[in-house]
Each structure stands twice: as C-alpha cells, then as structure tokens.
Amino acid sequence: QVQLVESGGGLVQAGDSLRLSCARSGRTFSSSAMGWFRQAPGKEREFVAAISGSGITTQYADSVRGRFTISRDNGKNTVYLQMNRLKPEDTAVYYCAAKLGLAIPAVYDYWGQGTQVTVSS
C-alpha cells in the first residue's frame, strides 16, 4: 500500500509562486509514476502534470505548461510541483497521485488527501 501526503498549499496573490510537495510512504517494489491533479470550486477534477518513475519524461496540461514544473527526488520519496506566475483560475485543491510502475499511466491507484491553493486577484 502506498500513502501520499501533500503539503505546500496556501493563499497567495496573482503572479506569486508556490511549491507543492508530495511525500510517498509504504511498501514499493519500484519507482512509481506520479501525477498532480486539481479540482476547482464547481469544476471537475483535471489533470495538471505527470512524471515517469525515472523522472525523465514529463507531461503537462496546456493550461499550466510553461508555468508549472513537476520534478521528483526519489532519494527523499518526494514529488514536487513548482507553480509560477499563479493565476486566480489556478485556485483549487491539488491532489498527488501514484501508480506502481515507471511509465506515466492513464489511471492512478493511490491518491493523497489534497492541499488547498488559493490565488487572489
């Protein structure tokens, strides 16, 4: 069983930056592909970014490409989401997700509880 805990959310102004962290614990037999998702008020949950187990391959939603960067430190069992030039429309609960395996998956097996990001205009 993999457990994920997000942190780093908060209240910021438009144009500010935040770095979210996702700490992974539990038994793992290999590096896990990781993803970030978000759910804004009144909206469906949407994909934000993903990274392969090796950290070499990344994917981004069009809405965040060029502003957000996903990275990982496997030695610390942690995945990060660096969010720059934040906009009010980035306001959402951000969730970390994982799936055992190296390749970026279509479906994730494990989810964190989420961390709130609020961007004021």
Side-chain angles (χ1 to χ4, degrees):
Q1 184 72 31
V2 175
Q3 294 179 318
L4 307 174
V5 179
E6 303 96 334
S7 62
L11 174 63
V12 299
Q13 294 182 328
D16 285 351
S17 297
L18 281 174
R19 189 178 74 163
L20 305 183
S21 298
C22 174
R24 183 187 67 202
S25 63
R27 295 186 181 90
T28 58
F29 301 101
S30 63
S31 299
S32 299
M34 307 289 293
W36 286 97
F37 294 76
R38 67 186 183 186
Q39 186 167 17
K43 302 291 182 63
E44 298 291 327
R45 184 176 62 188
E46 66 174 340
F47 168 79
V48 175
I51 188 167
S52 64
S54 68
I56 296 175
T57 303
T58 58
Q59 294 179 359
Y60 297 94
D62 290 341
S63 59
V64 306
R65 186 177 293 108
R67 297 189 298 120
F68 291 9
T69 302
I70 187 171
S71 62
R72 67 189 304 156
D73 185 341
N74 287 340
K76 298 180 179 179
N77 295 321
T78 302
V79 175
Y80 305 97
L81 184 68
Q82 179 66 45
M83 305 185 294
N84 297 327
R85 302 189 302 279
L86 283 162
K87 305 175 181 180
E89 50 262 46
D90 294 319
T91 295
V93 177
Y94 283 72
Y95 297 92
C96 178
K99 182 177 178 66
L100 297 181
L102 299 178
I104 295 174
V107 179
Y108 292 83
D109 295 327
Y110 306 99
W111 296 83
Q113 292 297 113
T115 185
Q116 176 70 49
V117 173
T118 303
V119 184
S120 63
S121 60

